[in-house]
Amino acid sequence: MRKPLVAAVFALALAGAGAAPAVAAGAPAADPADRATRPAQAAPASVGKVAVADKDTITSTVNDLVTSATATVGRITQPSAQAVNFAGTVSLSNCSGSVVRMPASADSDPALVMTNGHCLESGFPAAGQVIVDQASSRTFGLLNSAGTRVATLRASKLSYGTMTDTDVALYQLTSTYAQIKSSYGIDALTLNDTRPTAGTAISVVSGYWKRIYSCNVDGFAYRLKEGDWTWKDSVRYTSACNTIGGTSGSPVVDDATGKVVAVNNTGNEDGERCTVNNPCEVDASGNVTVRQGINYAQETYQIPACFGVGNKLDLSRSGCVLPKP
């Protein structure tokens, strides 16, 4: 969970806009929270000028760093089987997200938007809290393949939201998949219903920043603990995915299949142990490992089992292991 935007901008002013970490200066504001957190309402406008003014320099620097990092770990540079782009991703007021469907969803079903539980407009759910079927009229900016906003989608309700065991929120929209496809030519991203594997080439696609991070699944954290929250079987990225504030809720896409395997949510910023913005890994024996600068996501393969006909949430369905209220 990222530091507040004000702190990031202050750090940039001290370091100078040309410093290598300049990309973090554009991070959206955050309550003490995970990977994207909620920016103050006036924050995007106040820092947008800085981000735009340095956009080319930042992009060039990031691309150089990613190229260097991927070369170091021997990442294959050939084109992936599926060209990952921004189509189907969304921008929120404080986070990233995506329009998603289950493997068995019908085109006539109301569409769903997935983001993090810590991105809820009501603030972070408490440890142990699960929110279901709560009325919501939240809006989302729908992006096309080039990252251009082509529509505003609206929620009818929050179907599910929690920061317990995982960090996920799923909003039901007023539009169906077929309506979105007919109006904007954009398909939803499909959630994979099988667990990802170590070494998988992945892309973290941020609708908030219109930026794609490429790396691999480095491994998994048996438990990932951050402040009051604990998440199970979290995905750990290789270092090339140096995600920043505003990327919370981004879909993590398997480059080979184009399917979503996780939702981006946090990273250890300062090397602290198990504190907010500094998650730690805890193994089955209780041993704690801190990996400063490494980022994480929450697996999503368990979600399809909890949605039935009509994309209706049913936590009592066979195979559904999501936490219940």
Side-chain angles (χ1 to χ4, degrees):
M1 298 188 275
R2 278 294 180 183
K3 60 187 174 184
L5 179 59
V6 172
V9 173
F10 181 68
L12 175 63
L14 292 178
V23 290
D31 289 330
D34 206 340
R35 171 55 64 233
T37 339
R38 48 196 73 254
Q41 292 301 314
S46 65
V47 301
K49 296 176 182 177
V50 175
V52 171
D54 292 332
K55 180 178 179 181
D56 293 338
T57 300
I58 291 170
T59 301
S60 176
T61 302
V62 171
N63 288 340
D64 289 345
L65 289 174
V66 171
T67 299
S68 175
T70 54
T72 301
V73 298
R75 174 73 181 271
I76 297 174
T77 56
Q78 297 175 352
S80 58
Q82 295 286 330
V84 177
N85 57 47
F86 295 100
T89 62
V90 300
S91 59
L92 285 69
S93 59
N94 59 341
C95 289
S96 299
S98 56
V99 180
V100 297
R101 64 187 299 154
M102 309 302 156
S105 291
D107 291 345
S108 57
D109 289 343
L112 300 171
V113 161
M114 181 177 71
T115 186
N116 285 147
H118 79 256
C119 294
L120 294 180
E121 63 268 49
S122 56
F124 304 149
Q129 182 181 12
V130 177
I131 304 167
V132 298
D133 293 331
Q134 182 179 89
S136 174
S137 58
R138 192 169 193 178
T139 58
F140 312 91
L142 177 66
L143 306 185
N144 64 14
S145 60
T148 301
R149 180 170 177 153
V150 295
T152 297
L153 304 177
R154 184 174 297 275
S156 60
K157 68 177 179 179
L158 171 66
S159 292
Y160 186 86
T162 192
M163 288 178 67
T164 299
D165 293 353
T166 185
D167 184 7
V168 71
L170 289 141
Y171 288 88
Q172 180 175 296
L173 301 183
T174 57
S175 307
T176 66
Y177 297 116
Q179 289 170 334
I180 294 172
K181 175 70 171 180
S182 175
S183 297
Y184 313 111
I186 294 175
D187 292 311
L189 302 178
T190 299
L191 295 185
N192 202 340
D193 56 5
T194 58
R195 185 176 182 270
T197 58
T200 299
I202 54 173
S203 295
V204 182
V205 190
S206 172
Y208 188 98
W209 288 119
K210 300 177 179 62
R211 177 175 164 190
I212 299 175
Y213 301 79
S214 297
C215 62
N216 295 76
V217 175
D218 183 56
F220 303 89
Y222 175 74
R223 297 290 183 268
L224 192 66
K225 181 173 175 55
E226 179 172 348
D228 295 333
W229 299 278
T230 300
W231 304 304
K232 296 180 177 179
D233 198 26
S234 303
V235 172
R236 180 177 63 245
Y237 306 142
T238 52
S239 59
C241 280
N242 55 340
T243 50
I244 61 175
T247 62
S248 279
S250 298
V252 179
V253 179
D254 182 327
D255 289 353
T257 66
K259 294 183 178 180
V260 177
V261 295
V263 57
N264 179 65
N265 82 310
T266 194
N268 187 293
E269 296 181 356
D270 306 310
E272 295 180 4
R273 177 185 169 108
C274 313
T275 62
V276 172
N277 301 324
N278 294 283
C280 63
E281 298 183 22
V282 184
D283 69 16
S285 300
N287 299 309
V288 175
T289 301
V290 173
R291 302 178 191 269
Q292 183 175 3
I294 294 300
N295 301 301
Y296 301 88
Q298 301 307 308
E299 295 171 344
T300 52
Y301 74 93
Q302 321 95 321
I303 294 175
C306 302
F307 283 80
V309 175
N311 270 354
K312 182 175 176 56
L313 176 71
D314 183 358
L315 298 177
S316 66
R317 294 186 81 221
S318 176
C320 178
V321 296
L322 289 178
K324 300 174 176 58

